[in-house]
Amino acid sequence: MSTRTLVTGGTGFIGSAIVKRLVAEGFAVKSLDNDSRGSREALAEVRDKVELVEGDIRNPDLVKKAARGVEAVVHLAFINGTEFFYQKPELVLDVAVRGMLNVLDACRENGIKELILASSSEVYQTPTKVPTDESVPLVVPDVLNPRYSYGGGKIISELLAINYGRKDFKRVLIFRPHNVYGPRMGHEHVLPQFILRALKAIQETPAGPVPFPIQGDGSQTRSFIHIDDFVEGFMCLLKKGEHLNIYNIGNPEEIAIKDVARQVVAYFGREAKVVPQEAPPGGTPRRCPDISKLKKLGFKPRISFAQGLPSIAAWYKAHAAMNQTV
């Protein structure tokens, strides 16, 4: 395990959590990010211990320069958020593919032999097996659906990492996060959107059940992992993960979206009246990770959804009142 590490996407939600943990573990850390979705404020508590490089992962010279002097790269610089998949699919793919190629070239030029790639549960799309282990086939069901720009970019990145990794690296690891949540995660994800929607609906409905529209009938499920648990899982694979292996990081607690809506509204002391609406094409009906591989490395999620919800709900309530972005 190398200790001089470059984290691409290091000011983002997941990236900043990883950077702070690496610093706490004694790593010398560089962060490369253009701060398009993250913020340097996320690293304020370790600012004097992290070398910050500002720039675009699609700039090959910048990436090569940022990678000088490090022994490992943790690559997280992608465009996430379901809204972006539909609205800017060409940008999602451009950042994914050019960014991955630039990271590989930078590693090879600088003699870096360790690469840890952030993939996604989106690579499974509608998996053939739930809970889903790492051997389930990766699928792009419809190239005409812009939603799959993200999953497709991640699949390409995995292929590049694995196949370059066979000859140019001593250790390549891939992790697939499953619905990581927590404060400062952005606005383009289901939990922040539900929280802000609940606050608005409660304000508009002073008494009685709170109308709460959702996409689909709410029977679709997700498995959410709190950012604190996620970081523990990441450190397990960083310390013990084996070359050319892939690891799900998630919490196998599966929750229906309609129950997520009810719990969010209940947190604010009200009852939700879930209102089903048409769902956009491409969503998967169930998502739940099999984390047996990561458990063998010593990982065990400790924070249930009910335990983790207050941290994110309170944060977004506080920042919604100030009309702040994250």
Side-chain angles (χ1 to χ4, degrees):
M1 183 177 64
S2 304
T3 57
R4 297 197 308 273
T5 302
L6 170 67
V7 179
T8 72
T11 67
F13 169 56
I14 292 178
S16 61
I18 288 175
V19 167
K20 287 184 282 190
R21 180 57 179 270
L22 292 176
V23 169
E25 297 263 348
F27 285 63
V29 183
K30 286 185 183 181
S31 165
L32 170 61
D33 207 316
N34 65 358
D35 302 331
S36 61
R37 297 195 64 241
S39 169
R40 293 190 174 201
E41 292 180 8
L43 297 176
E45 64 194 75
V46 295
R47 176 63 187 87
D48 59 341
K49 299 178 180 178
V50 177
E51 181 179 344
L52 296 176
V53 181
E54 183 176 355
D56 195 320
I57 195 68
R58 294 173 293 175
N59 181 334
D61 294 332
L62 177 73
V63 179
K64 289 175 183 177
K65 184 177 179 180
R68 289 175 189 160
V70 305
E71 301 168 294
V73 174
V74 181
H75 181 39
L76 296 109
F78 284 69
I79 294 180
N80 197 359
T82 307
E83 288 184 10
F84 291 121
F85 308 165
Y86 287 105
Q87 296 173 4
K88 300 179 180 181
E90 74 291 347
L91 179 63
V92 172
L93 282 163
D94 193 40
V95 170
V97 179
R98 292 185 197 273
M100 187 72 246
L101 287 168
N102 286 345
V103 165
L104 289 166
D105 287 344
C107 287
R108 296 162 74 201
E109 180 169 304
N110 287 286
I112 298 166
K113 296 299 183 181
E114 185 166 9
L115 173 64
I116 300 95
L117 171 65
S119 185
S120 171
S121 58
E122 288 280 332
V123 298
Y124 300 120
Q125 294 307 327
T126 302
T128 55
K129 182 170 61 173
V130 181
T132 306
D133 64 48
E134 296 85 351
S135 68
V136 168
L138 311 187
V139 178
V140 176
D142 179 7
V143 296
L144 297 179
N145 188 332
R147 178 190 175 91
Y148 302 128
S149 56
Y150 183 73
K154 290 291 190 181
I155 292 171
I156 294 169
S157 296
E158 288 198 18
L159 286 167
L160 287 166
I162 291 292
N163 288 292
Y164 276 78
R166 295 183 197 281
K167 63 177 183 177
D168 292 325
F169 293 83
K170 292 182 179 178
R171 190 169 75 143
V172 168
L173 303 173
I174 296 172
F175 63 92
R176 295 173 180 159
H178 283 64
N179 292 91
V180 187
Y181 73 96
R184 201 185 286 274
M185 68 179 295
H187 287 101
E188 303 84 13
H189 306 274
V190 62
L191 287 180
Q193 290 178 350
F194 273 24
I195 292 163
L196 296 173
R197 192 184 307 167
L199 290 168
K200 185 174 185 290
I202 288 168
Q203 189 176 30
E204 294 173 349
T205 312
V210 178
F212 199 93
I214 61 172
Q215 296 178 348
D217 64 6
S219 63
Q220 58 272 49
T221 69
R222 295 295 182 267
S223 299
F224 298 93
I225 181 168
H226 191 274
I227 186 65
D228 291 349
D229 271 349
F230 168 83
V231 171
E232 294 300 328
F234 173 81
M235 293 307 297
C236 275
L237 73 89
L238 183 64
K239 293 175 180 179
K240 301 178 183 178
E242 297 181 0
H243 183 43
L244 299 181
N245 266 257
I246 301 167
Y247 300 89
N248 288 334
I249 304 182
N251 186 331
E253 177 191 13
E254 192 174 4
I255 307 173
I257 292 299
K258 59 186 175 185
D259 293 328
V260 172
R262 289 170 180 143
Q263 288 190 47
V264 168
V265 175
Y267 171 81
F268 296 113
R270 299 289 295 277
E271 178 187 355
K273 179 183 178 182
V274 174
V275 182
Q277 294 185 328
E278 184 178 354
T284 181
R286 291 182 68 192
R287 181 170 293 152
C288 179
D290 182 329
I291 58 170
S292 299
K293 279 186 71 173
L294 197 57
K295 280 186 172 181
K296 290 178 181 177
L297 302 185
F299 174 66
K300 181 180 179 181
R302 301 184 183 279
I303 303 170
S304 69
F305 182 73
Q307 292 170 324
L309 177 60
S311 68
I312 182 173
W315 194 92
Y316 276 92
K317 180 181 180 181
H319 289 76
M322 294 184 286
N323 195 32
Q324 292 191 4
T325 58
V326 292

